[in-house]
Amino acid sequence: MIKSLSIPERQSMLAIVLLFLAISAAMAGLADRGVMSTHGLMAFGILVLLGFYIAGSFYGPDKSKVSKSRYYDDPTLAGVFLSLFWAIIGMGIGVWVAALLYWPDMAEGISWLSFGRIRPGHTTGIIFGFGGNALIATSFHVVQRTTRARLADSVSPWLILLGYNIFCLWAVTGYLMGSTQSKEYAEAEWYADILLVLVWVGYFVLYIRTLARRNEPHIYVANWYYLAFILVVAILHIVNNLAVPVRLTSAESFPVWAGVQDAMVQWWYGHNAVAFFLTAGFLGMLYYFLPIRSGRPIWSYRLSIVSFWGIVFFYIWVGSHHLHYTALPYWAQTLGMTFSVMLLVPSWASAGNALLTLNGAWHKVRDDATLRFMFVAAVFYGLSTFEGSFLAIRPVNSLSHYTDWTVGHVHSGTLGWVAMIVFGAIYTIIPQLTGRKEMIWPRAVEWHFWLAVAGTLIYVVAMWNAGITQGLMWRAYDENGALSYSFIESVKAMAPYYLLRTIGGALFLAGAVLCVLNCRETMKNAQGEATDRPLVAPVGTVEA
């Protein structure tokens, strides 16, 4: 990390760390005893260690002049390993949550291990920790290769990763201590939200500055998706989390939205977090790594641009389909449903474009587990987007909503689409940046693939069956017009499905552990620096 920075850059970074060290000390000292002061102490401890590390490097070797002639890949590697760290944390919590539904007495008397506290830790750990770090890391990698330009500066990437992961740490530990805003995918308290805004502004500025320095006249489509992800997520986060703190020394706050407006803003944010965090950013990943790994150009570049604008325009309107049969005006519900159905067109255009890119390379899909991860990701992307449009239709929603069918749908997207493309990208990046042709344990990649596919299918099919069973039991009436089943009977009927869900999640976690071990050993046995040079082959061919 530090060796690649010049002495002035190390001094700048130390000055910024000392500034935030003072802020975290004030936060720890002035805040009321509880979550906020604890988070101040956490940040203070991390920044003290980092400050000593940077200060101790002032008299170390300065290799910046050599490194400036190459792409800056150290932040990418750091982001990959942070992503894998959060993958193990988030998936481990997820397996625990699933097990609690089958063995509910496991956490009896231990409040911080209860379902209500650790479930948001699972979603935040996976979406923001695993997914967010993967997006940041791969965006640094992709923007440099597609612009043939080094990142605009060497300090910002580290500050972005540092601030972002402190946010994730604050969020997850806050939930365990019982602190939450009670907003889906946005439970972190107001001071953590402010930190994320500062980080995200720095991320956006760095990305724009790098694009402005490009040596390639064309801005490749992957950058369009990454930029949409960065820009729109910032807007969503700010609007959804507008709140007034009870006191500046307290973690508690009151949202500015209330009633049905709060519900609409929440699901405008919630579904567009799916759209621009869990879709647009990962499509950028797909559009870069799939052609690179397959050695085939994108089947239709024009279609990739058309589908980009379709996704960006249609997705922003669909959040209200989460509020069918509520106090939200009927026209707003219908608008969300209509745009959800129309969204299928650009979504399937992207999925089809990815699959058709593999024409002429199916033998590689058969032989290369890494490429198979990307292939399965494209298939699940098409499947989950079709299912999303289908579930948004009001009569279908009346059966599926509030059931585990929705949980199955979400995990077909997160496990089958998001995680698969992330693992495919990681297995492409790590060998490339360590001077190797492949991972050190290629058989482990194969094992990981089958564990991931088996875990995903067991989990998703179990939840589909559970959800449909719930929906049918809840709406079944006897000849007297009374409900045929009590609610507790529908809960008891879920037991076998919840056990299968736990098994599926455990298989997926086992594959992720294999990935971590494989990446660590590959890094330990690096054979040199990155195998590509600053002037690289055009996108769509294998990098030299």
Side-chain angles (χ1 to χ4, degrees):
M1 168 185 170
I2 295 299
K3 290 179 181 178
S4 60
L5 299 179
S6 66
I7 298 300
E9 286 171 338
R10 297 176 200 184
Q11 293 169 343
S12 298
M13 190 166 182
L14 181 61
I16 296 170
V17 166
L18 290 175
L19 172 63
F20 283 97
L21 186 66
I23 295 172
S24 63
M27 181 176 164
L30 299 176
D32 300 340
R33 288 187 62 186
V35 175
M36 191 173 180
S37 62
T38 302
H39 283 162
L41 285 172
M42 283 182 185
F44 184 81
I46 292 169
L47 293 169
V48 165
L49 293 175
L50 183 59
F52 276 115
Y53 176 62
I54 297 171
S57 70
F58 276 7
Y59 301 102
D62 182 350
K63 298 183 179 179
S64 60
K65 291 183 180 178
V66 176
S67 64
K68 295 294 185 188
S69 63
R70 304 187 63 84
Y71 294 132
Y72 192 35
D73 292 321
D74 290 356
T76 296
L77 287 171
V80 165
F81 279 95
L82 286 166
S83 176
L84 291 174
F85 167 79
W86 283 107
I88 301 304
I89 298 296
M91 292 177 196
I93 295 175
V95 172
W96 175 265
V97 169
L100 273 179
L101 293 173
Y102 189 75
W103 296 287
D105 296 332
M106 287 198 310
E108 188 173 2
I110 309 174
S111 60
W112 58 273
L113 285 180
S114 62
F115 184 93
R117 293 198 182 185
I118 64 173
R119 187 267 177 182
H122 165 62
T123 54
T124 297
I126 291 299
I127 296 172
F128 295 102
F130 171 53
N133 276 294
L135 286 167
I136 292 170
T138 56
S139 70
F140 289 163
H141 181 85
V142 170
V143 74
Q144 292 182 91
R145 268 72 183 177
T146 55
T147 60
R148 293 189 296 157
R150 186 180 163 91
L151 288 174
D153 72 78
S154 302
V155 175
S156 295
W158 295 110
L159 296 175
I160 291 164
L161 286 170
L162 174 66
Y164 184 76
N165 283 278
I166 289 177
F167 162 79
C168 292
L169 183 64
W170 280 357
V172 172
T173 56
Y175 309 150
L176 297 181
M177 291 184 280
S179 177
T180 173
Q181 288 191 119
S182 302
K183 288 177 175 283
E184 184 74 349
Y185 312 138
E187 293 94 341
E189 295 289 2
W190 64 271
Y191 55 89
D193 291 333
I194 291 174
L195 172 62
L196 185 58
V197 169
L198 295 175
V199 169
W200 221 249
V201 169
Y203 184 22
F204 177 74
V205 170
L206 175 65
Y207 208 89
I208 289 292
R209 287 172 61 208
T210 304
L211 285 174
R213 301 170 74 241
R214 68 186 186 275
N215 294 307
E216 181 67 42
H218 179 72
I219 299 177
Y220 182 60
V221 67
N223 291 305
W224 294 39
Y225 280 101
Y226 277 119
L227 203 53
F229 144 67
I230 298 168
L231 181 60
V232 179
V233 164
I235 297 168
L236 297 171
H237 175 76
I238 291 169
V239 174
N240 184 58
N241 288 291
L242 288 173
V244 180
V246 174
R247 293 183 305 279
L248 292 178
T249 57
S250 170
E252 290 77 23
S253 62
F254 290 103
V256 300
W257 313 108
V260 72
Q261 288 82 12
D262 185 42
M264 183 65 256
V265 170
Q266 162 61 47
W267 282 111
W268 172 76
Y269 164 85
H271 203 88
N272 283 300
V274 173
F276 291 93
F277 204 103
L278 296 177
T279 301
F282 292 101
L283 281 172
M285 206 180 290
L286 180 74
Y287 274 119
Y288 178 80
F289 288 102
L290 182 68
I292 291 297
R293 192 71 188 187
S294 66
R296 302 284 300 174
I298 286 292
W299 181 72
S300 172
Y301 193 80
R302 181 173 296 176
L303 184 60
S304 71
I305 301 297
V306 171
S307 59
F308 168 82
W309 288 111
I311 286 169
V312 168
F313 178 71
F314 288 152
Y315 244 128
I316 209 78
W317 298 94
V318 305
S320 58
H321 75 228
H322 287 267
L323 298 170
H324 283 318
Y325 305 104
T326 68
L328 189 74
Y330 194 79
W331 68 265
Q333 299 177 33
T334 304
L335 183 72
M337 178 182 70
T338 305
F339 273 91
S340 298
V341 174
M342 291 193 294
L343 181 62
L344 187 60
V345 176
S347 298
W348 270 28
S350 294
N353 207 1
L355 294 174
L356 288 169
T357 297
L358 295 172
N359 274 347
W362 291 110
H363 61 289
K364 294 183 179 181
V365 177
R366 179 193 64 210
D367 299 333
D368 183 0
T370 299
L371 189 57
R372 234 176 295 139
F373 271 107
M374 301 180 193
F375 164 69
V376 170
V379 171
F380 267 97
Y381 175 64
L383 172 67
S384 58
T385 51
F386 168 78
E387 187 181 26
S389 296
F390 182 64
L391 294 178
I393 300 171
R394 192 177 284 109
V396 180
N397 195 267
S398 69
L399 173 67
S400 70
H401 208 36
Y402 308 117
T403 73
D404 285 317
W405 189 350
T406 304
V407 178
H409 166 59
V410 168
H411 283 80
S412 72
T414 51
L415 299 179
W417 156 234
V418 169
M420 293 290 187
I421 189 60
V422 169
F423 289 131
I426 288 173
Y427 285 135
T428 303
I429 286 176
I430 293 294
Q432 184 188 86
L433 299 189
T434 55
R436 300 183 62 90
K437 290 185 178 180
E438 60 182 8
M439 300 294 291
I440 195 167
W441 298 337
R443 292 296 299 169
V445 180
E446 193 78 33
W447 272 95
H448 181 193
F449 173 77
W450 290 113
L451 283 168
V453 169
T456 301
L457 290 176
I458 291 170
Y459 191 113
V460 171
V461 173
M463 289 297 96
W464 284 341
N465 281 278
I468 293 171
T469 301
Q470 283 174 324
L472 293 175
M473 291 181 75
W474 293 347
R475 67 198 309 182
Y477 296 90
D478 62 20
E479 62 275 10
N480 298 317
L483 289 172
S484 298
Y485 304 97
S486 66
F487 181 74
I488 196 64
E489 286 178 304
S490 72
V491 173
K492 290 179 179 178
M494 295 300 103
Y497 302 120
Y498 287 170
L499 179 59
L500 286 171
R501 172 197 212 177
T502 306
I503 294 169
L507 289 174
F508 205 92
L509 173 61
V513 171
L514 267 182
C515 179
V516 172
L517 296 175
N518 203 353
C519 289
R520 186 189 67 178
E521 289 302 311
T522 303
M523 285 296 299
K524 284 170 62 177
N525 292 274
Q527 295 178 347
E529 296 181 322
T531 56
D532 58 336
R533 299 296 185 265
L535 297 177
V536 297
V539 170
T541 63
V542 179
E543 294 181 344

